[in-house]
Amino acid sequence: MKRKFSDLHCHNHMRAHFHMQEKAKKFKRKGEFSPWTVIASNSKNQEKGKMGASYSQIDLVKCWNGNLRLTFNSLYPLERQFVQGMDPKITEDKWYHFVARGILGDSGLKRDLLQTAYMRIPDKVIDFFQSDGYDYWESLNREKDFVLLDSGKRIKKNEIHVPGALLGDEKAAAKRAKEHPESYVAENACYRIPKNKTELLKSLSDDSEITMILTIEGAHAIGTDRCKSVEDISDRIKFIKELWEVPVFFITFAHHFDNRLCGHAHSIPGMGKVLMKQRPHMNEGFRRNGHRIIRETLGLNSNGDRDPRLGYRILIDVKHMAARSRVEYYELVKACLAKGDRIPVIASHCGYSGLSTLAEHISKEKEEKDDHQGKFNPWNINMCDEDIEMIVRTRGMFGISFDQRILGITKADLEKDKTRTPKRNGIQLIWENIEGIAKSAYANPNLSDAEKPLIWKCLTIGTDFEGLIDPVDPYPTALEYELFANNLVFEIDQARKNPANTHLAHIQSREDAEKLVDDFCYTNSEAFVKENYPV
């Protein structure tokens, strides 16, 4: 039987929506305004393993042909800091700011051109994101409507759009479809966003459709920058729960910039500093109204008790949440757990930091350099042993990102990979993170002997594909899931033969390794959503 896959965090519609949202009438007239429409990719950059900005990683066609049958599709209104630029100052990050001032100026055409090239978003859309008319809340609802367009519909064949085609879009599309059918053509295909648990179970049992779960990346999407009061934010959470046609399963509460609710972790390296300024409230704790909003998102009243008047529970994803804010959030989770109310902790697209505690993360915030030392990326955007303990204790989920930087690749690694075999930037990098997380759980004295093996049920794929990541070289798109799974089976089968690997003692054969990989690739996330999806 063909192996099925799930992805705990990705953006299946992102490229299509970015390209078509400001030219909806044109695309509707051509019959291309659909989440199924493939925006043609830069295949050379894909082959070179470049950042996933100029090519599609996980559009619905790749999902279909890669046998991704459970996708947690994240809605994300692009944060305007990505396109507004910044006022360069020499006082911090001197080199990058000097470059920004000297080459780009403070604003204008040069900056627009670099941002368009960096983000691979059409210039007209960049202009919209920069305008006063761009509103996160309006954009979120429009994005939701776009994703719902074809939910439950079975298409005969998708459309292909080739931006800037010199010989005509139709001819260029036909050529792409003929040369790369797996990347460009899906036939007799369907995805469904379940309205309730009954629809969820029915969809999951039907391998002829993709089950799509909606999530949101960043509480800024609620429009926290323009809401005049905390009551306005609260009303929008209520609006989502009561008036959206389908539920939101979880929200990645923080993202790259200040959402006025909680602190975000340091996340932007290198040349990103030329275009973006993420220092305001970075690495900080909750803001004054943050505790109320996160409680109400979870359906909790001011006493921390479940309140039916607050609607169904939207779970919280702690990826991007600063270590200081995670400390505060876990206090709430622990208090609820003591009352018998288990709130699963989700880290949807992360790596292992290799650090022990959140306090250690906090103490090392200022040491977070672009090119770190050691096997794992120690930035507090990643999960430490304390985070892993919370995920196991609450029966949550840890999605392993396919972003090579998050997983710990360094410039030195990339240089060594030019001559060494096997290369670290491959299955080794992903397996090191999976194994590091498992070892963390098994070595944790706060977890019982019965709890420690549960870590294997808490791990899954969480690529962050279409999130502007630079993927692990052999697996740039969803079409490489099967290759990844086979490589992972080999790694686990080899590792289990070492008697010192007590965390793999339950793996007695290659068949056991296959089962573990099947769980990681699909079964774990399926069981998790079945247990926690709103009724």
Side-chain angles (χ1 to χ4, degrees):
M1 190 171 104
K2 192 174 180 182
R3 182 181 277 122
K4 293 193 292 186
F5 295 92
S6 169
D7 198 321
L8 191 63
H9 181 87
C10 57
H11 306 272
N12 308 125
H13 64 288
M14 186 69 81
R15 271 176 72 84
H17 187 250
F18 271 176
H19 276 77
M20 294 192 285
Q21 61 178 318
E22 287 308 293
K23 297 181 180 180
K25 290 182 179 178
K26 171 188 172 182
F27 283 100
K28 285 177 181 177
R29 190 167 59 248
K30 295 173 65 178
E32 295 178 348
F33 194 69
S34 165
W36 280 106
T37 296
V38 176
I39 307 299
S41 297
N42 185 327
S43 57
K44 291 183 179 179
N45 280 352
Q46 179 179 326
E47 291 165 5
K48 293 177 182 177
K50 299 290 185 181
M51 182 180 288
S54 58
Y55 63 91
S56 177
Q57 297 179 313
I58 197 163
D59 58 59
L60 283 170
V61 170
K62 287 185 175 65
C63 290
W64 184 257
N65 292 327
N67 214 34
L68 184 73
R69 288 300 180 263
L70 173 58
T71 181
F72 296 78
N73 186 23
S74 188
L75 306 178
Y76 168 57
L78 185 79
E79 288 149 294
R80 59 176 50 87
Q81 289 92 335
F82 275 114
V83 293
Q84 277 187 335
M86 56 195 286
D87 180 16
K89 297 177 181 177
I90 303 301
T91 55
E92 56 182 44
D93 296 322
K94 293 182 180 179
W95 170 247
Y96 291 109
H97 285 251
F98 175 77
V99 171
R101 182 185 292 276
I103 297 178
L104 300 176
D106 294 344
S107 61
L109 180 61
K110 289 182 181 178
R111 184 176 296 280
D112 278 10
L113 289 173
L114 180 55
Q115 286 161 340
T116 302
Y118 183 73
M119 298 292 292
R120 296 300 196 276
I121 301 171
D123 188 56
K124 186 174 181 179
V125 180
I126 292 286
D127 290 341
F128 170 63
F129 288 147
Q130 291 173 332
S131 73
D132 292 336
Y134 177 50
D135 179 85
Y136 292 146
W137 174 245
E138 184 275 335
S139 181
L140 176 69
N141 281 273
R142 185 161 57 154
E143 192 175 350
K144 178 265 297 180
D145 290 343
F146 179 74
V147 173
L148 278 170
L149 274 176
D150 289 330
S151 175
K153 300 176 184 177
R154 190 163 296 279
I155 64 161
K156 291 183 178 179
K157 191 176 180 181
N158 65 286
E159 300 293 332
I160 305 168
H161 175 67
V162 185
L166 298 177
L167 301 177
D169 191 31
E170 291 185 8
K171 286 185 178 180
K175 182 179 179 182
R176 296 291 182 105
K178 183 178 180 180
E179 292 178 349
H180 305 285
E182 278 201 324
S183 292
Y184 286 103
V185 181
E187 296 179 324
N188 192 33
C190 177
Y191 73 90
R192 185 182 305 277
I193 306 173
K195 295 178 181 178
N196 49 50
K197 186 169 284 191
T198 300
E199 281 196 8
L200 170 77
L201 296 176
K202 184 178 180 182
S203 181
L204 289 172
S205 66
D206 185 357
D207 288 347
S208 73
E209 66 183 36
I210 298 169
T211 304
M212 180 185 289
I213 310 300
L214 285 197
T215 70
I216 295 173
E217 184 155 39
H220 73 281
I222 305 165
T224 55
D225 61 327
R226 295 190 178 183
C227 284
K228 295 181 179 179
S229 69
V230 66
E231 283 75 20
D232 290 342
I233 303 173
S234 177
D235 286 345
R236 289 182 174 183
I237 295 291
K238 186 176 181 181
F239 183 92
I240 289 172
K241 292 184 179 184
E242 294 182 356
L243 296 179
W244 275 24
E245 300 89 332
V246 294
V248 171
F249 187 52
F250 65 76
I251 179 169
T252 309
F253 205 68
H255 204 228
H256 293 296
F257 305 98
D258 186 13
N259 64 13
R260 294 169 170 78
L261 296 175
C262 77
H264 55 283
H266 175 209
S267 61
I268 299 175
M271 286 300 292
K273 296 175 186 175
V274 174
L275 300 175
M276 302 154 238
K277 188 174 184 178
Q278 70 165 169
R279 287 188 182 276
H281 216 67
M282 185 177 78
N283 294 333
E284 297 297 333
F286 271 76
R287 304 287 284 270
R288 184 164 60 92
N289 296 318
H291 287 289
R292 171 178 169 177
I293 297 303
I294 207 167
R295 281 200 314 270
E296 292 182 0
T297 303
L298 290 163
L300 301 171
N301 61 24
S302 58
N303 295 319
D305 298 321
R306 287 297 295 267
D307 187 340
R309 293 173 297 180
L310 294 172
Y312 69 87
R313 170 166 287 170
I314 300 176
L315 296 175
I316 301 298
D317 173 19
V318 298
K319 172 63 188 278
H320 289 288
M321 189 183 285
R324 294 176 193 270
S325 286
R326 298 207 299 274
V327 169
E328 296 181 51
Y329 175 58
Y330 292 157
E331 289 175 359
L332 172 65
V333 172
K334 290 174 183 176
C336 289
L337 193 60
K339 298 176 185 178
D341 182 14
R342 179 178 55 83
I343 301 173
V345 172
I346 299 171
S348 70
H349 52 297
C350 300
Y352 177 47
S353 72
L355 301 188
S356 298
T357 64
L358 291 167
E360 189 178 0
H361 264 307
I362 293 167
S363 71
K364 294 179 180 292
E365 286 166 356
K366 294 182 180 179
E367 300 174 20
E368 293 181 357
K369 305 298 181 182
D370 284 357
D371 208 36
H372 61 85
Q373 302 295 315
K375 181 186 292 186
F376 304 110
N377 183 336
W379 289 17
N380 79 112
I381 195 173
N382 274 337
M383 299 294 108
C384 66
D385 296 340
E386 188 175 347
D387 293 297
I388 294 166
E389 177 186 334
M390 289 303 300
I391 291 169
V392 172
R393 287 180 61 193
T394 61
R395 301 208 306 276
M397 290 300 289
F398 193 130
I400 303 296
S401 172
F402 276 29
D403 185 333
Q404 56 181 262
R405 181 180 63 85
I406 288 295
L407 294 176
I409 209 73
T410 65
K411 290 180 182 177
D413 282 323
L414 296 177
E415 190 62 32
K416 291 176 182 176
D417 272 1
K418 293 177 181 177
T419 56
R420 69 180 171 189
T421 302
K423 300 181 186 302
R424 183 170 185 243
N425 191 1
I427 191 60
Q428 179 183 337
L429 184 62
I430 298 176
W431 171 237
E432 284 173 354
N433 277 261
I434 295 172
E435 188 173 38
I437 294 161
K439 286 181 176 180
S440 167
Y442 277 84
N444 192 321
N446 298 324
L447 295 174
S448 69
D449 289 343
E451 289 176 314
K452 292 175 181 180
L454 294 178
I455 186 60
W456 293 113
K457 299 298 182 183
C458 297
L459 291 168
T460 192
I461 296 171
T463 59
D464 197 18
F465 278 164
E466 234 68 294
L468 199 69
I469 70 162
D470 191 353
V472 176
D473 280 357
Y475 322 114
T477 77
L479 295 177
E480 284 74 46
Y481 279 138
E482 186 65 33
L483 172 63
F484 157 74
N486 291 334
N487 291 163
L488 185 58
V489 168
F490 178 82
E491 292 295 320
I492 294 173
D493 191 43
Q494 294 301 304
R496 74 172 178 85
K497 298 172 183 177
N498 184 345
N501 291 335
T502 55
H503 57 289
L504 298 174
H506 62 299
I507 309 298
Q508 296 292 313
S509 64
R510 182 180 177 84
E511 288 71 25
D512 288 345
E514 292 268 5
K515 173 63 168 58
L516 190 68
V517 171
D518 287 344
D519 287 349
F520 177 81
C521 289
Y522 181 83
T523 310
N524 289 345
S525 56
E526 183 192 57
F528 182 75
V529 74
K530 281 182 176 179
E531 182 177 14
N532 295 291
Y533 204 68
V535 176

